[in-house]
Amino acid sequence: MPAPGFDLDGYRKRWQTEIDASLEQMLAHLAADRGCPSALLAAMRYSLLSGGKRLRPLIVLAATRACGGQEQAALGAGCALEMIHAYSLIHDDLPAMDDDDFRRGQPTCHRAHGEAMAILAGDGLLTHAFELLSHSVPEAVAARALSLLARAAGPAGMVGGQADDVAENQQMPSLAEVEFNHQRKTAALFAAAVALGGLIGGAGRDQAAALDDYGQAFGLAYQITDDLLAYQGDAETLGRPTGSDEIQDRKTHPRVAGLARSRQRTLSLVEDAILALRPFSEKADALIALAKLLASRV
Ligand code: GRG
């Protein structure tokens, strides 16, 4: 199972390029559809092609690889997931939510394209993701794929986590409440990423359960790491300005548990994620390397 010689940098560079090219191509198809207004397309393009790490699609591809499938077959599903991620960031930045002016070093979508168009760009990316996914996976698993993605992104998943986040609550939550929020707001999409990769790669029941364990643990660790770096003021590793959690009095993991416990929790979740991959061959190398990268950030 271990993958000591795996070249994660090379793997990421290669597939990030492919993912970006596929996203370009999908927007080109949309541009050819006379029903899509150019102002809307411009706002969608602005956020979708603004240089994210493409972590969720990479995980879709890595999960397909772990099951013995070809990454190429998972590109469409990975791009669909990235569209949902891009929509969530656009809406998260809006004045009614985080009210952020910058994302990935450039003005946020509503700053560049106006609030109404940014809302619609998010709506467009969210809905187009499902159309794209419906013809990116084998017909036999299409309904399952659409349903799991809708659940992960929806009111009992990411939207639910975000709703809890914005709800006014003066009390300090328990750590279990914080983690429940992270499971929905962030981990649900990572769990959907491995589930989609598994569906495309033909995962059996044990492998699908193992991928879910990996996705949940990875996703929770990812959110705690993000909060830890923000808490420590490590804007460089984080890739965005820090300090807004304190300003907005957000009850993050390190604010509730303290630095040392949050760090420890991240490391133990990464260990859980890697251990979950026992039912796989050495082809789980990319998933393992991605989890190890997370541990190296805290
Ligand atoms: C608005 C419905 C709705 C949901 C928003 C994703 C989200 C829910 C909020 C973002 C808040 C945030 C900064 C969460 C931390 C973890 C996270 C999801 C970071 C951003 O994802 P990365 O690191 O970003 O993959 P890039 O820029 O690489 O795509």
Side-chain angles (χ1 to χ4, degrees):
M1 188 177 70
F6 185 75
D7 173 17
L8 181 62
D9 274 352
Y11 187 82
R12 287 177 71 180
K13 273 193 197 110
R14 175 182 171 197
W15 289 108
Q16 274 166 349
T17 305
E18 298 264 354
I19 291 160
D20 283 340
S22 298
L23 289 170
E24 268 291 357
Q25 205 180 9
M26 283 152 196
L27 289 181
H29 278 132
L30 204 50
D33 187 337
R34 290 191 313 117
C36 179
S38 56
L40 175 61
L41 185 68
M44 290 166 69
R45 169 185 291 278
Y46 179 82
S47 289
L48 189 61
L49 299 179
S50 63
K53 295 183 287 297
R54 312 305 189 204
L55 189 53
R56 291 152 195 80
L58 275 169
I59 288 180
V60 179
L61 271 51
T64 297
R65 172 186 172 86
C67 299
Q70 299 291 323
E71 282 94 341
Q72 199 73 31
L75 266 176
C79 289
L81 196 55
E82 186 67 11
M83 286 184 188
I84 296 201
H85 171 59
Y87 126 75
S88 77
L89 298 181
I90 294 173
H91 282 197
D92 189 57
D93 290 336
L94 287 169
M97 297 220 192
D98 268 11
D99 195 10
D100 277 321
D101 292 338
F102 290 94
R103 159 93 44 198
R104 298 170 180 159
Q106 63 180 42
T108 44
C109 192
H110 64 275
R111 283 275 164 202
H113 292 266
E115 198 176 338
M117 202 52 79
I119 292 170
L120 292 169
D123 294 341
L125 287 164
L126 171 63
T127 44
H128 193 59
F130 287 95
E131 186 191 344
L132 177 62
L133 184 63
S134 71
H135 45 73
S136 295
V137 293
E139 216 176 306
V141 296
R144 172 89 196 102
L146 291 165
S147 154
L148 79 83
L149 187 55
R151 183 169 171 80
M158 184 177 70
V159 172
Q162 182 76 355
D164 270 353
D165 241 19
V166 302
E168 295 277 322
N169 193 347
Q170 298 307 314
Q171 279 176 351
M172 205 43 123
S174 69
L175 208 50
E177 285 166 335
V178 171
E179 291 200 356
F180 180 53
N181 174 265
H182 292 354
Q183 276 156 11
R184 288 167 298 145
K185 189 179 82 170
T186 307
L189 273 203
F190 283 103
V194 279
L196 288 173
L199 271 186
I200 294 161
R205 189 188 290 238
D206 286 353
Q207 288 188 333
L211 286 173
D212 187 57
D213 289 344
Y214 173 94
Q216 302 287 354
F218 183 99
L220 184 50
Y222 194 77
Q223 178 66 60
I224 299 175
T225 304
D226 199 80
D227 289 341
L228 264 170
L229 294 173
Y231 188 74
Q232 296 172 123
D234 191 346
E236 200 180 311
T237 315
L238 193 62
R240 62 177 164 78
T242 61
S244 68
D245 288 343
E246 281 72 21
I247 292 164
Q248 299 188 18
D249 195 27
R250 211 176 274 122
K251 314 292 191 297
T252 65
H253 204 281
R255 287 189 78 201
V256 174
L259 261 181
R261 269 180 84 196
S262 283
R263 229 184 247 133
Q264 193 45 49
R265 179 71 174 135
T266 305
L267 296 177
S268 108
L269 284 164
V270 167
E271 207 179 306
D272 290 349
I274 293 173
L275 283 175
L277 298 172
R278 272 176 302 216
F280 292 93
S281 70
E282 71 287 349
K283 292 277 190 146
D285 46 10
L287 287 179
I288 293 172
L290 283 163
K292 286 185 174 165
L293 178 68
L294 200 47
S296 73
R297 295 177 82 205
V298 295

